[in-house]
Amino acid sequence: MKLRKQLLSLHLPPSFQELPRLDDSFLFDIETTGLSPKRSFIYLIGVLFFRENAWHCWQWMAQDESEELSLLEEFFSFSSTFHTVIHFNGRHFDLPFVLERCRHHQILCPLAGFSEFDLYQNIRPLKNLLKLEKLNQKSLEDFLGVQRLDPYDGKELISLYRTFQKQPCDSLENALLLHNLEDLTGMVSLFSLLSYHALKSGDFCLEKIEPVMEPEKFQLKISLLLTHAVPVPVSFQNSYGYCSVKEQTCRFLVTGIKGSLKHFFPDCKNYDYLLLEERVIHKSLSSYVERSHRRPAKPEECYVSKTGLFLPQIHAEHQPCFQETYRSSALFFEYNDELLSDTDWVLPYIQSLFL
C-alpha cells in the first residue's frame, strides 16, 4: 500500500454559516472497483484538510484487495484527530461503502460517530436558482468554470485500475491519483456555491430602495448587499418581478399595480346588496332601505374598490388585502412611502416573494 502526501495551493473559502470549522474537518473521497460493496473493494482513499495555513492532500492506494484492510486502518488512524467529515453525496455511496467494507473485515468504523457535512445536500436547494438540470459534481464544476486535467469518468477509472493491477506503472498510478485529487479539490471549489444561501437565509443588508412611477405602471426597485460575493451571476423572474445577483449585489424589481383593486369582505352574509346603487352595505344599516331595493350580497359582489398603488403578496399578511376579481389568486396590499423606511418590513417581504 502506498501513501502520497502533498501540499496544495488552494484558496481558503469564506466563513459561510453552513460550513463547519475547517481546522476540525477533512474532505474525503473513495475510489472503488464497483458500485456494490459486497462484490467490490476500496482501492483508494483521498483526504484534503487545512492545517498550519495550508491545504494538505493525503492519498492511500492499495495494489489489490489484500491491502484494503491496511488502507482502512491507516485512514482511520488519520481521521482520529478530526470530528467532522465533508463529502459530496457521501451519505448515499462513500460512507455506506466504507461501513460495509468494515463489516467485511470485522472492524469498527469510527466514521459512524463523526459529524458530517454533505455538500450535495447543502447545494440541492439551490437547483432552481442556479437553473441546473443535474447536480452531480461535474455539472456543478462546469457551472463554476472549473477545468479538470483528469479525462476519465468513474466507469473508465475501474478499467484503468484493473490494468494497473496487472501492469503497475507510474503513469497509470498518477492517473488514478489525479482523478481522486480533482474530486477533492473540486469539492473545495463547490464551497463558493454556499454564498447563494444568503438569498434564502436573509444574510444581506438593504442598500437602496425606491419606487418607479410610470404613467400606467408602478414598480419597486430594491438593491441589497450580500455578505459574500456569489461566484457566477444569476437571474430569475416570476409573477412578482425580476431578480438579478452579481458579485455582492442583489437587485429586485417588484411589479406592482397602479389603478383600482377590490377588497372583498370575508363575512358576506352580514351584507346586503343595494340594487339601485350597485354596492353593498352592512345589514346593520340596510334595515333602513326598502326590501325591494336590497337583497343578500353574493361573495363576488361583496367588496369595496380603491384606486392607488399596490404591491403583490403571496399570502394575505398585509391587510386590507386587495384582488382584481373575487376568483383572482393574485393578492395585493396598498403601498405607502412609510414602508420604504422600515427595514424590518422590506427584507422579509423580499424573501417572501422571491426566495
Side-chain angles (χ1 to χ4, degrees):
M1 185 193 69
K2 292 185 176 180
L3 168 61
R4 175 182 286 187
K5 299 181 180 181
Q6 56 184 314
L7 289 175
L8 301 177
S9 178
L10 301 172
H11 292 296
L12 187 65
S15 300
F16 298 116
Q17 293 180 1
E18 299 85 357
L19 196 63
R21 286 174 46 196
L22 290 181
D23 60 354
D24 197 30
S25 311
F26 67 91
L27 292 87
F28 140 88
D29 185 61
I30 66 173
E31 308 299 340
T32 69
T33 58
L35 297 178
S36 170
K38 294 185 182 298
R39 297 187 296 272
S40 312
F41 67 93
I42 301 170
Y43 70 84
L44 175 58
I45 297 180
V47 298
L48 195 62
F49 59 99
F50 190 78
R51 287 282 170 86
E52 298 176 350
N53 294 318
W55 285 101
H56 302 256
C57 179
W58 289 14
Q59 293 171 293
W60 296 268
M61 186 170 172
Q63 174 66 42
D64 52 46
E65 189 172 359
S66 67
E67 295 184 341
E68 184 187 38
L69 177 57
S70 296
L71 178 147
L72 288 169
E73 289 175 337
E74 289 290 328
F75 167 59
F76 292 149
S77 176
F78 156 82
S79 67
S80 63
T81 60
F82 297 87
H83 293 91
T84 303
V85 56
I86 301 173
H87 50 75
F88 186 87
N89 208 21
R91 294 178 188 175
H92 292 91
F93 182 75
D94 302 71
L95 294 176
F97 204 108
V98 171
L99 182 60
E100 183 58 37
R101 296 311 295 169
C102 286
R103 291 195 187 103
H104 172 79
H105 293 290
Q106 297 183 335
I107 61 173
L108 293 175
C109 179
L111 293 185
F114 272 55
S115 297
E116 59 174 299
F117 182 85
D118 190 334
L119 273 164
Y120 171 77
Q121 292 298 335
N122 278 271
I123 295 171
R124 188 178 178 183
L126 303 171
K127 182 177 181 179
N128 292 335
L129 174 66
L130 303 181
K131 299 177 182 177
L132 293 174
E133 292 184 8
K134 297 180 180 179
L135 286 182
N136 56 50
Q137 186 168 337
K138 182 65 167 60
S139 297
L140 293 171
E141 289 177 6
D142 288 344
F143 174 78
L144 292 171
V146 175
Q147 300 293 322
R148 283 193 174 220
L149 297 176
D150 162 52
Y152 302 105
D153 59 26
K155 186 177 181 180
E156 293 170 332
L157 211 65
I158 293 173
S159 298
L160 200 69
Y161 179 70
R162 295 298 187 194
T163 303
F164 172 77
Q165 283 184 293
K166 297 173 185 177
Q167 299 176 332
C169 66
D170 289 344
S171 61
L172 290 177
E173 179 181 314
N174 290 335
L176 293 165
L177 291 169
L178 176 63
H179 180 93
N180 179 258
L181 172 64
E182 292 196 329
D183 277 348
L184 292 167
T185 57
M187 284 189 228
V188 175
S189 69
L190 299 188
F191 286 154
S192 65
L193 295 174
L194 301 178
S195 60
Y196 294 102
H197 277 291
L199 300 173
K200 292 180 175 293
S201 65
D203 189 16
F204 44 63
C205 61
L206 182 63
E207 190 174 42
K208 188 177 181 181
I209 181 170
E210 60 180 341
V212 179
M213 303 291 185
E214 296 183 9
E216 297 182 0
K217 188 165 55 175
F218 164 62
Q219 294 176 312
L220 200 60
K221 187 184 293 185
I222 301 172
S223 179
L224 305 175
L225 189 64
L226 304 179
T227 304
H228 301 292
V230 298
V232 179
V234 295
S235 63
F236 60 94
Q237 190 168 4
N238 60 22
S239 58
Y240 304 106
Y242 175 80
C243 171
S244 65
V245 188
K246 183 178 181 181
E247 297 178 347
Q248 284 186 261
T249 301
C250 181
R251 290 187 171 88
F252 295 92
L253 191 63
V254 182
T255 302
I257 284 184
K258 184 177 184 181
S260 180
L261 291 178
K262 300 170 182 176
H263 171 64
F264 291 88
F265 301 119
D267 54 342
C268 67
K269 64 180 183 298
N270 294 322
Y271 289 83
D272 279 335
Y273 183 75
L274 302 183
L275 300 173
L276 296 178
E277 300 182 33
E278 296 183 340
R279 66 181 181 88
V280 293
I281 188 173
H282 197 273
K283 286 188 175 180
S284 61
L285 299 174
S286 65
S287 58
Y288 299 103
V289 180
E290 292 184 22
R291 285 184 177 275
S292 60
H293 292 167
R294 58 183 167 91
R295 61 166 170 77
K298 300 175 183 179
E300 61 269 20
E301 60 192 12
C302 194
Y303 65 84
V304 291
S305 294
K306 186 159 189 178
T307 299
L309 303 175
F310 302 90
L311 289 173
Q313 58 179 337
I314 294 179
H315 306 292
E317 297 180 7
H318 304 284
Q319 293 292 334
C321 182
F322 292 87
Q323 298 164 256
E324 291 187 288
T325 68
Y326 181 69
R327 301 295 180 187
S328 296
S329 58
L331 307 177
F332 298 85
F333 65 97
E334 190 173 12
Y335 163 84
N336 65 73
D337 291 335
E338 294 179 3
L339 292 174
L340 302 187
S341 60
D342 187 355
T343 305
D344 293 336
W345 170 83
V346 172
L347 299 184
Y349 172 65
I350 286 298
Q351 282 183 276
S352 72
L353 292 184
F354 293 95
L355 313 175

